[in-house]
Amino acid sequence: MNFKRKLLIAALPFALGLQGLAQAATTLKLAEVHPAGYPTVVALENLGKKLEEATDGELKYRMFSGGVLGSEKEVVEQLQIGAVQMTRVSLGTLGPVVSDVNAFNMPFVFRDHEHMRKIIDGEIGQELLDKITASEFNMVGLAWMDGGVRNLYSKEPVRNIDDLKGMKIRVIGNPLFIDTLNAMGAQGVAMDTAEIFSALQTGVVDGAENNPPTLLEHNHYRTAKYYTLTGHLILPEPIVMSKTTWNKLTPEQQEMVKKFAKEAQLEERKLWDEKTASSEEKLKAAGVEFIEVDKQPFYEATAPVREKYGAAYADLIKRIEAVQ
Ligand code: BDP
């Protein structure tokens, strides 16, 4: 070995050591499709702040809200390669990736909002997070946020299931949701969140389905003035971290991430309830008609969807139903 080479090798530990120091602070990029001030964004930001404080700045965060890092689908892809470190994402978006989570994505699988909350707070909720972590998709499922109850909204009123016939209704890109809307007599159309506003305006779709805060904050109510309270989906929304990032954390840091994510779950819930109430008021003030509808025909129409997608999770679904 020549002298130069020897010198280089001798210098290597120092070089690495210095580089190690320079990399000591890890910045976590947090991605959100919702705008600043939205309950999930606020709770995720607070999680980031707590991590900064508790680790004396060894972990830092940067919040990218408003979908600036891309659609949820794109963010899930970036998370898998470690380009985005953490996000809160609809379980609907995650279904085509980690298919096990589709058990929660089925129409009317939860009796009501409270039922869903009991499930995510309990052992079944933890099991689903563990399934995300155990999947081959390089993610760690940390906690749940609340995405409320999803109802239909449209440019023409839907007062009963027949009114929905032939309407093009936007859904999250998950075949389960296309089948759900098709089973209700509509035509499910998948597209990203950011495309809905203009799709409604230009008539590419006749409606969409979502909770009151999204209907308000993404401005869909400006075109879709009829809100039909079908409550067909109650989708919880996991906080997930890239496993590439997770594996770089110390065990203490991992514990902190878990703890603060669980705290974010409860914090967001409170913010969510307030935001839902104020959104409903604002929507009504803006002239959106809230239509009470008989849910039974929607429940019955979607039975084949539950049969098709639920077959693989029959035991889990029985356990979900048994939770009072
Ligand atoms: C909102 C969810 C968000 C989804 C969005 C959608 O919070 O994660 O991306 O719906 O339907 O309620 O695209």
Side-chain angles (χ1 to χ4, degrees), residues 32-34 38 40 72 88-91 93 146-147 150 153 170-172 191-194 196 209-211 214 218 237 272:
E32 253 291 350
V33 288
H34 290 304
Y38 199 91
T40 55
E72 288 200 333
R88 182 278 333 155
V89 66
S90 172
L91 205 59
T93 312
D146 197 321
R150 295 174 76 107
Y153 46 88
R170 179 272 174 181
V171 293
I172 294 177
M191 66 177 69
D192 292 337
T193 322
I196 306 171
E209 47 83 51
N210 224 310
N211 49 53
T214 295
H218 292 257
E237 309 185 336
W272 182 261

Side-chain angles (χ1 to χ4, degrees), residues 102-111 176 179-180 183-184 230-233 295-314 317 321:
N102 272 336
F104 284 6
N105 281 333
M106 290 196 301
F108 301 106
V109 69
F110 301 115
R111 281 190 302 279
L176 168 47
D179 284 357
T180 298
M184 291 177 180
T230 45
H232 56 283
L233 293 176
K295 291 182 186 167
Q296 193 60 27
F298 293 88
Y299 178 79
E300 282 165 16
T302 52
V305 180
R306 284 186 295 281
E307 272 161 37
K308 176 176 167 188
Y309 290 90
Y313 316 109
I317 289 162
E321 283 167 0

